[in-house]
């Protein structure tokens, strides 16, 4: 192991000692022991390298080499108006804002109808709801397997805690906004979210990762979601970090009987992004739809790592990922499906379609099926293509400019993914963002 | 009195992948006229149509095309469309995710903008669409689908004529719009074209079969063989071709003395 890697690991380990000493007198012992276990696991694992099968296409060297400081709690003041340009017009929601990893009550807005559910910061919930958290926190996302997950678990302190009681049907989405802002030196945050849906409930959750400046920072986020029987969840992660930022996230769904999860992942920003999506269908008859759109450009690197586990009979999963790659960017789609021995009548389908807009852009797409049951339906398919020149000429021959023709075709390609997003303000907002990207910053109306 | 033609093609030579496909095509088309171009498979009919529409995979190595007094070869495809050129594709392209109606509205408004007009009001556009859809019997379902996606061959061809009817070009170029159509569909397509014939408008109707010309009666018929127009005449030429076949012309062409020998 080379020096820099050693030093980097050491600095996280030292950082942990300070972290533990500094602020944790009040933390429950169960939490402290999880953190300890996690940091020692991190110490054993070290950072992954491209020799690890799961990290074959993603070199985390830039993260390892950057000396990140734990984001300080010293309060940075920001004006809520600074967030305006990131809002999705028309989105009525309960909003929790986290500034450099820490909950900001001033920037958050929680409506009055919240009495049916719990909507809190994890830090606060740890004091208030210790037992409930003890039962669930870090019980699903397995830090034994993954160094970044272990780091997050060791440093977990704040994030969102959402509890939806039995039978509750939320009309408005819960919007979790993670803001990184003005840091003199590179900082790291470890947002940790826990979302519990009791049986027969229904909710929409949106995680959004943004940055107010073009800073170097590292968001290492983990979300655990427990979906009760017969519950319906629609969950979004929108990643639009700064162009220099690093974002590694893991979302872990624990799905009970007949539960239904639709997960949307949109990767737009960041220099190096890794998105781990890990649903486990533990209850019979559950369904999981994973809908992804990633659009790297320049030198961005975006890695989508799926680990879809069928652990029970009669479950359906769908992975539909679309990549639009420009510049010298690199995209990865690694779609692992694991069908456990008892998971008969599994129906799993995986599709990854990619559009390469430049000769230098690169995509690695890899299906990986591990099937231990015998009565299953598992299919996968991947395509890599370029802009259809025949279609462009067809549109131009009708009088539509070349630029607009390209935008139309790209929107059509991305549209397949965007159309699945049922929260209209989010879908429209993303359409606008996608269009602006393709039209070199011109707004939708002026191009079309 | 000398009238300037709407379109004049002079000594057009076109290459694809270093292979010469058109070698010296001359053609003059005046406003109000319907010209038919007939010819065997591979003679270069589609190449001519595509070059007129501005497809850049075809390389023009010699000659010129003057349209409305302008050098067409210097003009982008979308601008040609805005100047009133419409080409109905022999093989219309399927475009997944782009709505048929949306395409038309975007195209129409782009063309209006080019001509200094305001975008058409949605109500007005809906009315126009309905009126034109009737002519070629386009169903609402087809209008709302992705462009040509999952259309039958006949539906694609009707869609081309429908687009032409909405965009109201000055020069309509139909590339084998009749091929593969049953007689009812053929009549629908022909009616669509005939309804648009006017003193200001011209058509180039490319066809492999004489049958279409029973319904769209041309003023002139040209026979394209091996990238050259080898014979021109009135509509009778089409009947002669039908009874004698293309080999008749090809043989005659071979025995004829080359024009520029
Ligand atoms: N894009 C192309 N690439 C290669 N060859 C082509 C292309 N387009 C046409 N050709 C060739 O040019 C010749 C004329 O084709 P085309 O214009 O389509 O004829 P037609 O429409 O009269 O059947 C054919 O030999 C065809 O194979
Ligand atoms: Mg042809």
């Amino acid at each position: 192991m080379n020096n820099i890697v050693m030093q980097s690991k050491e600095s996280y380990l030292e950082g942990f000692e300070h972290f533990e000493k500094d602020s944790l007198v009040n933390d429950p012992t169960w939490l402290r022991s999880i953190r300890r276990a996690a940091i020692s696991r991190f110490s054993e694992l070290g950072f992954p390298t491209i020799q690890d099968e799961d990290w074959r296409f993603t070199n985390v060297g830039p993260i390892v080499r950057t000396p990140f400081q734990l984001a300080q709690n010293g309060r940075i003041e920001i004006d809520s108006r600074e967030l305006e340009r990131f809002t999705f017009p028309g989105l009525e929601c309960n909003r929790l804002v986290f500034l450099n990893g820490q909950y900001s009550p001033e920037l958050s807005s929680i409506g009055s109808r919240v009495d049916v559910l719990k909507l809190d910061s994890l830090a606060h919930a740890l004091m208030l709801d210790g037992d409930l958290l003890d039962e669930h926190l870090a019980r699903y996302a397995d830090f034994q397997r993954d160094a970044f997950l272990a780091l997050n678990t060791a440093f977990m302190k704040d994030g969102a805690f959402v509890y939806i009681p039995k039978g509750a049907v939320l009309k408005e989405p819960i919007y979790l906004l993670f803001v990184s802002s003005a840091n003199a030196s590179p900082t790291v945050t470890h947002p940790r979210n826990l979302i519990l849906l009791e049986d027969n409930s229904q909710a929409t959750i949106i995680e959004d990762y943004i940055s107010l400046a073009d800073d170097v920072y590292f968001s290492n986020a983990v979300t655990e979601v427990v979906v009760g029987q017969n519950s319906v969840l629609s969950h979004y992660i929108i990643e639009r970090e700064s162009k220099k930022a690093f974002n590694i996230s893991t979302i872990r769904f624990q799905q009970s009987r007949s539960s239904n999860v639709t997960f949307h992942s949109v990767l737009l920003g960041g220099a190096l992004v890794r998105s781990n999506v890990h649903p486990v269908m533990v209850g019979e008859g559950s369904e999981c739809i994973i809908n992804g759109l990633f659009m790297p450009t320049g030198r961005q690197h975006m890695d989508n790592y799926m680990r879809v586990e069928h652990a029970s009979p009669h479950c359906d999963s769908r992975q539909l990922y679309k990549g639009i790659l420009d510049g010298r960017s690199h995209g990865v789609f690694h779609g692992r499906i694991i069908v456990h021995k008892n998971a008969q009548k599994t129906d799993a389908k995986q599709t990854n379609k990619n559009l390469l807009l430049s000769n230098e852009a690169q995509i690695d797409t890899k299906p990986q099926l591990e099937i231990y049951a015998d009565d299953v339906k598992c299919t996968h398919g991947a395509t890599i293509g370029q802009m259809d020149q025949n279609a462009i000429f067809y549109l131009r021959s009708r009088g539509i400019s070349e630029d607009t023709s390209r935008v139309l075709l790209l929107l059509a390609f991305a549209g397949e993914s965007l159309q699945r997003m049922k929260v209209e303000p989010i879908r429209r907002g993303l359409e606008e963002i996608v269009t602006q990207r393709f039209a070199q910053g011109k707004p939708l109306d002026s191009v079309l | 009195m000398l009238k300037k033609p709407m379109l004049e093609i002079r000594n057009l030579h076109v290459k694809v992948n270093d292979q010469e496909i058109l070698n010296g095509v001359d053609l003059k088309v005046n406003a109000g006229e319907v010209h038919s171009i007939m010819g065997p498979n591979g003679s270069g009919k589609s190449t001519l149509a595509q070059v007129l529409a501005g497809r850049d995979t075809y390389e023009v190595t010699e000659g010129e095309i003057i349209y409305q007094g302008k050098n067409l070869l210097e003009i982008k495809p979308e601008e040609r469309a805005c100047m009133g050129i419409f080409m109905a594709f022999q093989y219309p392209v399927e475009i997944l995710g782009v709505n048929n109606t949306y395409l038309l509205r975007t195209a129409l408004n782009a063309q209006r903008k080019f001509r200094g007009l305001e975008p058409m009001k949605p109500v007005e556009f809906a009315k126009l669409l309905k009126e034109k859809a009737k002519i070629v019997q386009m169903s609402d379902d087809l209008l709302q689908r992705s462009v040509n996606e999952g259309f039958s061959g006949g539906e694609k061809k009707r869609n081309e004529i429908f687009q032409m009817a909405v965009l109201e070009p000055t020069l309509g170029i139909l590339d084998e719009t009749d091929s593969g159509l049953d007689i009812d569909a053929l009549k629908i397509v022909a009616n669509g074209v005939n309804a648009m014939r006017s003193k200001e408008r011209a058509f180039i109707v490319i066809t492999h079969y004489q049958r279409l010309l029973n319904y769209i009666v041309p003023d002139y018929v040209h026979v394209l063989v091996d990238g050259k127009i080898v014979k021109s005449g009135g509509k009778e030429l089409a009947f002669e071709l039908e009874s004698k076949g293309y080999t008749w012309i090809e043989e005659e062409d071979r025995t004829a003395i080359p024009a520029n020998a």
Side-chain angles (χ1 to χ4, degrees):
Chain A
M1 207 186 300
N2 74 37
N3 267 344
I4 292 171
V5 177
M6 281 296 280
Q7 275 168 22
S8 172
K9 198 171 115 179
E10 279 308 315
S11 88
Y12 280 96
L13 297 178
E14 269 167 41
F16 180 76
E17 276 172 29
H18 291 297
F19 170 75
E20 206 183 27
K21 225 178 283 159
D22 271 9
S23 54
L24 306 177
V25 215
N26 298 325
D27 284 337
T29 40
W30 61 265
L31 178 62
R32 301 179 64 166
S33 63
I34 290 176
R35 283 179 180 144
R36 286 244 172 95
I39 198 72
S40 74
R41 185 58 185 156
F42 167 74
S43 175
E44 283 162 29
L45 285 171
F47 288 103
T49 67
I50 51 171
Q51 270 77 49
D52 294 300
E53 189 54 30
D54 289 347
W55 292 88
R56 230 176 93 194
F57 304 108
T58 297
N59 179 358
V60 297
I63 294 178
V64 178
R65 284 193 300 272
T66 309
F68 293 107
Q69 302 292 311
L70 207 53
Q72 283 308 309
N73 301 336
R75 300 222 154 188
I76 319 153
E77 296 283 325
I78 66 162
D79 196 312
S80 64
R81 273 171 303 188
E82 285 186 70
L83 298 178
E84 260 163 37
R85 67 189 157 107
F86 294 100
T87 54
F88 291 93
L91 180 68
E92 302 207 355
C93 59
N94 287 305
R95 178 170 97 168
L96 266 62
V97 179
F98 300 85
L99 193 52
N100 289 339
Q102 190 177 8
Y103 178 60
S104 162
E106 297 82 12
L107 297 170
S108 301
S109 55
I110 298 175
S112 52
R113 258 165 301 164
V114 167
D115 44 333
V116 294
L117 59 104
K118 286 180 185 162
L119 197 49
D120 205 346
S121 70
L122 188 78
H124 190 240
L126 278 167
M127 297 192 285
L128 227 66
D129 277 306
D131 291 347
L132 194 55
L133 267 68
D134 184 12
E135 191 187 333
H136 294 288
L137 190 66
R139 304 295 174 198
Y140 310 99
D142 180 9
F143 62 75
Q144 294 298 331
R145 191 160 41 217
D146 179 326
F148 290 103
L149 186 45
L151 268 185
N152 173 287
T153 308
F155 288 96
M156 65 183 172
K157 187 176 182 197
D158 209 352
F161 172 63
V162 179
Y163 176 83
I164 319 247
K166 230 179 199 150
V169 175
L170 297 199
K171 288 208 182 60
E172 291 181 348
I174 295 169
Y175 178 60
L176 311 174
L177 182 63
F178 299 86
V179 186
S180 288
S181 166
N183 295 296
S185 58
T187 53
V188 55
T189 58
H190 302 278
R192 181 76 180 210
N193 306 308
L194 179 65
I195 293 156
L196 306 174
L197 278 86
E198 292 284 16
D199 296 350
N200 292 305
S201 63
Q202 188 175 328
T204 299
I205 315 258
I206 300 154
E207 294 179 46
D208 191 3
Y209 293 81
I210 66 166
S211 156
L212 296 181
D214 210 9
D215 292 331
V216 178
Y217 60 89
F218 174 25
S219 302
N220 182 35
V222 174
T223 301
E224 288 175 292
V225 190
V226 184
V227 189
Q229 289 195 22
N230 211 31
S231 288
V232 180
L233 170 70
S234 157
H235 195 115
Y236 295 66
I237 293 185
I238 301 163
E239 180 278 308
R240 35 182 183 157
E241 306 269 30
S242 111
K243 277 274 184 314
K244 293 184 195 149
F246 304 100
N247 179 298
I248 292 188
S249 68
T250 295
I251 184 151
R252 169 73 168 80
F253 296 101
Q254 181 81 349
Q255 289 192 241
S256 306
R257 193 178 187 286
S258 304
S259 64
N260 187 312
V261 168
T262 308
F263 173 62
H264 306 279
S265 160
V266 182
L267 308 184
L268 299 166
L272 195 166
V273 178
R274 160 85 164 207
S275 157
N276 300 301
V277 182
H278 185 186
V280 183
M281 286 164 271
V282 287
E284 196 173 315
S286 40
E287 182 182 19
C288 184
I289 296 167
I290 307 172
N291 174 39
L293 177 65
F294 58 105
M295 307 195 336
T297 180
R299 290 179 152 276
Q300 285 180 290
H301 179 100
M302 291 178 178
D303 179 349
N304 302 280
Y305 184 88
M306 308 291 113
R307 183 187 168 95
V308 175
E309 276 188 65
H310 286 256
S312 200
H314 290 284
C315 296
D316 291 0
S317 69
R318 296 284 176 271
Q319 300 167 55
L320 310 137
Y321 264 76
K322 307 204 89 175
I324 302 177
L325 300 96
D326 204 352
R328 307 178 65 177
S329 68
H330 186 182
V332 181
F333 177 81
H334 187 148
R336 194 163 168 196
I337 300 174
I338 303 166
V339 181
H340 293 243
K341 205 167 162 191
N342 65 326
Q344 302 296 0
K345 304 287 177 194
T346 284
D347 184 349
K349 195 171 175 187
Q350 175 188 100
T351 315
N352 170 224
K353 295 186 194 164
N354 303 291
L355 199 54
L356 299 182
L357 302 183
S358 90
N359 293 330
E360 281 90 25
Q362 189 190 336
I363 175 82
D364 287 292
T365 176
K366 182 185 171 198
Q368 191 182 351
L369 309 183
E370 291 169 40
I371 302 172
Y372 304 103
D374 45 33
D375 185 10
V376 303
K377 212 161 81 189
C378 265
T379 60
H380 64 88
T383 60
I384 300 170
Q386 272 141 16
M387 283 290 259
D388 180 353
Q389 293 303 323
N390 288 325
I392 293 205
F393 178 65
Y394 189 83
L395 294 171
R396 293 179 73 189
S397 79
R398 287 346 182 203
I400 301 170
S401 78
E402 189 172 4
D403 279 354
T404 305
S405 299
R406 283 172 61 87
V407 172
L408 278 179
L409 292 181
L410 289 167
L411 273 184
F413 184 84
E416 202 189 340
S417 175
L418 294 171
Q419 266 157 27
R420 296 199 185 93
M421 301 177 187
K422 297 288 178 253
V423 181
E424 207 194 308
I426 296 285
R427 191 185 61 240
R428 264 192 283 114
L430 288 172
E431 270 168 7
E432 184 74 40
I433 290 169
V434 169
T435 309
Q436 287 194 21
R437 166 80 76 84
F438 297 137
Q440 275 82 42
K442 284 176 263 174
L444 192 59
D445 286 349
S446 79
V447 196
L448 303 181
Chain B
M1 188 192 78
L2 259 178
K3 186 170 69 156
K4 276 246 173 75
M6 175 193 288
L7 176 78
E8 187 167 3
I9 302 174
R10 291 190 205 122
N11 189 32
L12 186 69
H13 288 252
V14 175
K15 264 189 186 170
V16 181
N17 302 336
D18 274 343
Q19 184 200 346
E20 181 133 281
I21 294 171
L22 296 183
N23 40 59
V25 171
D26 294 287
L27 184 68
K28 266 187 208 165
V29 177
N30 292 309
E33 295 175 350
V34 174
H35 290 246
S36 168
I37 296 180
M38 302 183 71
N41 265 340
S43 57
K45 303 184 297 294
S46 292
T47 302
L48 179 61
Q50 296 271 333
V51 168
L52 285 170
R55 184 80 210 239
D56 62 6
T57 43
Y58 296 89
E59 186 197 351
V60 176
T61 53
E62 222 184 307
E64 56 183 353
I65 306 176
I66 308 296
Y67 171 75
Q68 293 178 339
K70 296 204 174 70
N71 179 1
L72 201 62
L73 296 175
E74 286 175 354
I75 298 170
K76 291 183 195 165
E78 54 268 37
E79 280 172 27
R80 297 185 195 193
C82 292
M83 290 162 64
I85 294 182
F86 180 95
M87 195 259 294
F89 284 61
Q90 182 177 2
Y91 301 110
V93 183
E94 297 190 14
I95 310 179
L96 193 73
V98 176
N99 173 283
N100 216 7
T101 301
Y102 187 79
L103 158 78
L104 266 177
R105 200 180 53 209
T106 311
L108 184 70
N109 284 333
Q111 297 201 12
R112 287 174 67 94
K113 193 173 172 189
F114 183 87
R115 294 169 199 145
L117 298 171
E118 288 290 304
M120 194 176 261
K121 290 199 182 70
V123 195
E124 224 180 304
F125 179 71
K127 225 174 89 188
L128 176 76
L129 223 55
K130 207 169 157 193
E131 174 197 320
K132 303 294 184 182
K134 224 184 195 160
I135 301 176
V136 285
Q137 301 182 14
M138 287 285 286
S139 66
D140 268 356
D141 169 52
L142 291 185
L143 290 182
Q144 290 314 324
R145 284 229 293 261
S146 286
V147 178
N148 292 322
E149 207 246 320
F151 285 30
S152 70
E155 285 168 343
K156 284 182 185 167
K157 298 298 176 80
R158 264 192 286 150
N159 195 26
E160 295 293 287
I161 300 305
F162 170 62
Q163 291 180 6
M164 181 169 81
V166 172
L167 297 173
E168 302 189 308
T170 312
L171 173 63
I173 303 157
L174 277 58
D175 188 2
E176 292 209 34
T177 304
D178 56 318
S179 295
L181 293 190
D182 65 38
I183 195 73
D184 294 328
L186 182 75
K187 281 181 186 166
I188 291 170
V189 163
N191 283 342
V193 174
N194 287 331
M196 290 181 73
R197 285 180 80 157
S198 78
K199 277 209 297 281
E200 291 77 32
R201 198 170 273 146
F203 288 94
I204 297 176
V205 180
I206 294 171
T207 180
H208 189 78
Y209 308 100
Q210 174 270 335
R211 186 183 62 160
L212 174 69
L213 306 181
N214 294 334
Y215 300 94
I216 303 174
V217 182
D219 300 300
Y220 301 95
V221 175
H222 311 276
V223 185
L224 187 71
V225 178
D226 286 341
K228 225 175 152 71
I229 290 178
V230 294
K231 207 171 178 69
S232 296
K235 60 174 180 278
E236 327 74 50
L237 183 55
F239 294 107
E240 213 169 337
L241 273 174
E242 180 75 358
S243 59
K244 295 186 181 168
Y246 286 116
T247 44
W248 157 64
I249 295 270
E250 285 169 33
E251 273 155 26
E252 194 172 78
D253 183 39
R254 218 168 291 138
T255 52
I257 300 156
N260 50 0

